[in-house]
Amino acid sequence: MEEKLSFEYAPAPESRALVTIKPKYGHFIGGKFVAGSKHFPTINPATEEVLSQISLAGKADVDAAVKAARKAYTTTWSKMSGKERGKYLFRIARIMQERSREFAVLETLDNGKPIRESRDVDVPLAAAHFFYHAGWADKLEYAGLGTTPKAHGVAGQIIPWNFPLLMLAWKVAPALAAGNTVVLKPAETTSLTALLFAEVCHQAELPAGVVNIVTGDGSTGALIVNHPGIDKIAFTGSTEVGKIIARAVATTNKSVTLELGGKAANIIFEDAAIDESVEGIVNGIFFNQGHVCCAGSRLILQESIADEVIEKLKNRMAKIRVGDPMDKNTDLGAINSKEQLLKIRELTAAGDSEGAERWSAPCDLPGKGFWFAPTIFTGVTQAHRIAREEIFGPVLSVLTFRTPQEAIDKANNTPFGLSAGIWSEKGSKVLWASQQLRAGVIWANTFNKFDPTSPFGGYKESGWGREGGRHGLSAYLKGVSHE
Ligand code: ADP
């Protein structure tokens, strides 16, 4: 079954010389780079090489950033016409495109994801978010969001490490289009593209203080969440931290959107196109090392086709190229951090001890860095931790079903509800299933497709509110329901 490839790809590494990484970074506050006081290292997870020293923002830095954002809001940004704001967003989008190779290389070095993904997915989509929202800036009155839509003021935004630049774009673009100013904190392991984005804001001559970037860990995030000068919080990250944030803002006037975890079901009905489904399953869980909150981490297979699909899937998994993320041939890169690798190991060990059967693709993992081979668990039951908890790694849990209703019941049996996939050649079955599934995004005969025009967000513990599209925009305007 494990056929060997008849040929090997020659290495095709992207050039690291495309980026200049400073030995040390500060924060971007009030249009200027300011030195930080404490620092921590950011590393390349594929090699464990220290790339740079990142500043850990404390109270004084966050205060300064909020003050700069407030000043920019009251003196400049809230007074500017939507048309003028839109011009800045277009300018930022164009500069991101011009500097796309730099962004892609930096993202891959700092995050561990394959250059092919950062180059073809993260960076183009990030620019697309700015282009899309640039078009909204002068049309807010006509968006069906009230006759005089008004910005919240200062938005505090906290993002994770799985799509660092893209999550920044999801947050900053609608905030600015709607007329807010921003204090953004990237995740502690992936600050570099946010700091390059600060340079882009400078290059675009964005008025000082409209975008402020402070780096740091959860303690910096908490300072932003609890800051009295912030009007709106937008967070993407774990459900655990999302709950802390929800509690912290509950007694305040802050508006909040949360995009949290997921445990997406990818349902394959017996009438699905099998080969296409196998490609979709692979894309659903192994894209970005499974570091995707909407990853199709639970495969729900109709029993009659289960053996065939699993065999084809293992064959396909054996051909996934794991290794140097800077190589343009690489399919699966490094796990973003040691902590994340330990979490994946802990949950997969629970899979073994609870009785599921593990199979990992045969591949040589590099000696240094954080790596996990593409893995599939069969014989999984709904009670197993690997069927219930978010693994956030290249690990697929397989469950089976006999009737369509059983598939839906199993898919919905989760505290999450971010996304789901349905594979069937029968349109009526796809429509029926999509109406039964409690998930914010449902893909049919495809998986992990994103577009700035389409709202994204979850049910239940997967979060509050939507990002993207007109729905996402409304979350940055006062008094407009964002559901
Ligand atoms: P993950 O498990 O994906 O790393 P986290 O929720 O821990 O997700 O982190 C997502 C973002 O939230 C990061 O930028 C992190 O620094 C920040 N963060 C962590 N803890 C807190 C907190 N208590 N308050 C605010 N932000 C936090």
Side-chain angles (χ1 to χ4, degrees):
M1 192 183 64
E2 286 153 19
E3 295 162 33
K4 277 267 163 220
L5 281 175
S6 53
F7 60 90
E8 288 298 332
Y9 285 79
E14 176 56 289
S15 166
R16 190 190 161 136
L18 287 162
V19 293
T20 314
I21 303 177
K22 294 182 198 149
K24 198 189 252 190
Y25 286 88
H27 310 291
F28 183 65
I29 298 175
K32 293 194 188 81
F33 284 94
V34 298
S37 40
K38 279 194 203 157
H39 290 85
F40 61 93
T42 191
I43 64 167
N44 176 346
T47 59
E48 296 177 57
E49 170 205 359
V50 174
L51 295 169
S52 183
Q53 298 292 328
I54 303 296
S55 293
L56 177 75
K59 187 172 181 308
D61 304 303
V62 173
D63 281 347
V66 174
K67 201 170 158 200
R70 176 65 57 194
K71 186 171 169 214
Y73 179 72
T74 46
T75 60
T76 321
W77 206 239
S78 63
K79 299 206 165 126
M80 199 183 273
S81 69
K83 193 171 165 196
E84 286 303 308
R85 286 201 311 273
K87 282 187 197 169
Y88 285 105
L89 288 164
F90 276 121
R91 206 183 279 176
I92 290 172
R94 280 194 299 268
I95 299 172
M96 284 175 92
Q97 284 186 321
E98 279 160 21
R99 303 185 71 172
S100 61
R101 281 184 83 185
E102 262 176 275
F103 273 113
V105 168
L106 211 50
E107 198 76 299
T108 285
L109 288 173
D110 207 16
N111 170 283
K113 66 173 68 197
I115 187 78
R116 228 180 43 212
E117 271 173 28
S118 47
R119 182 195 65 193
D120 298 347
V121 181
D122 298 56
V123 180
L125 267 178
H129 270 268
F130 279 94
F131 277 119
Y132 172 75
H133 286 96
W136 271 125
D138 63 348
K139 300 177 195 69
L140 298 178
E141 290 85 351
Y142 313 103
L145 303 172
T147 45
T148 48
K150 205 169 169 335
H152 288 288
V154 178
Q157 309 186 316
I158 299 163
I159 56 173
W161 46 261
N162 59 343
F163 290 91
L165 182 70
L166 184 58
M167 289 302 106
L168 174 151
W170 279 28
K171 300 261 181 297
V172 175
L176 299 194
N180 302 270
T181 57
V182 159
V183 175
L184 176 127
K185 188 196 86 67
E188 47 272 49
T189 55
T190 53
S191 305
L192 292 180
T193 46
L195 293 163
L196 181 58
F197 178 79
E199 254 181 56
V200 169
C201 293
H202 198 252
Q203 195 181 338
E205 294 174 9
L206 188 70
V210 171
V211 168
N212 303 276
I213 294 181
V214 289
T215 51
D217 60 14
S219 65
T220 311
L223 287 167
I224 294 176
V225 168
N226 294 306
H227 202 290
I230 283 183
D231 305 300
K232 188 216 155 52
I233 294 291
F235 170 79
T236 298
S238 61
T239 297
E240 189 194 342
V241 175
K243 285 180 181 171
I244 297 175
I245 293 177
R247 273 195 292 272
V249 299
T251 51
T252 71
N253 283 330
K254 288 182 183 120
S255 159
V256 65
T257 38
L258 305 170
E259 204 259 273
L260 310 175
K263 192 75 194 170
N266 208 357
I267 306 173
I268 322 288
F269 288 104
E270 61 189 357
D271 58 15
I274 302 291
D275 291 340
E276 283 83 346
S277 314
V278 168
E279 253 344 272
I281 298 163
V282 167
N283 175 38
I285 184 66
F286 301 123
F287 170 61
N288 192 15
Q289 295 69 248
H291 291 341
V292 189
C293 18
C294 55
S297 55
R298 284 183 303 151
L299 175 61
I300 308 206
L301 273 181
Q302 191 142 13
E303 222 172 70
S304 51
I305 52 162
D307 290 347
E308 182 189 355
V309 171
I310 289 167
E311 188 184 329
K312 286 192 166 178
L313 190 57
K314 287 181 178 172
N315 249 325
R316 178 66 184 83
M317 284 167 66
K319 294 188 178 75
I320 292 177
R321 289 182 296 266
V322 185
D324 181 6
M326 288 287 275
D327 190 322
K328 292 169 202 151
N329 298 316
T330 294
D331 298 314
L332 195 91
I335 302 301
N336 179 251
S337 64
K338 190 172 188 178
E339 292 69 41
Q340 190 54 31
L341 180 60
L342 294 177
K343 275 191 208 164
I344 299 171
R345 286 197 184 138
E346 197 253 321
L347 270 167
T348 49
D352 297 328
S353 61
E354 289 181 341
E357 192 182 323
R358 181 198 294 239
W359 183 89
S360 294
C363 53
D364 296 326
L365 299 179
K368 277 210 136 187
F370 315 123
W371 301 91
F372 201 88
T375 295
I376 173 172
F377 277 97
T378 49
V380 178
T381 73
Q382 296 185 80
H384 288 162
R385 283 182 70 198
I386 52 169
R388 290 186 287 113
E389 296 178 32
E390 191 176 32
I391 300 179
F392 229 60
V395 182
L396 182 64
S397 301
V398 186
L399 297 117
T400 56
F401 68 93
R402 288 187 182 158
T403 64
Q405 189 57 49
E406 191 189 344
I408 300 297
D409 293 344
K410 285 189 169 163
N412 285 340
N413 185 12
T414 166
F416 299 109
L418 193 53
S419 64
I422 305 166
W423 296 79
S424 166
E425 293 284 87
K426 204 162 160 53
S428 57
K429 199 185 277 179
V430 169
L431 290 173
W432 173 81
S434 63
Q435 281 162 357
Q436 310 296 315
L437 289 169
R438 299 281 295 160
V441 182
I442 296 171
W443 287 289
N445 296 322
T446 187
F447 210 91
N448 273 343
K449 288 272 184 289
F450 306 96
D451 191 283
T453 62
S454 172
F456 184 92
Y459 280 75
K460 300 188 271 185
E461 290 197 8
S462 288
W464 291 346
R466 295 291 177 264
E467 290 186 294
R470 206 174 58 90
H471 298 72
L473 186 71
S474 67
Y476 284 95
L477 293 165
K478 257 189 201 158
V480 185
S481 158
H482 50 252
E483 283 297 334

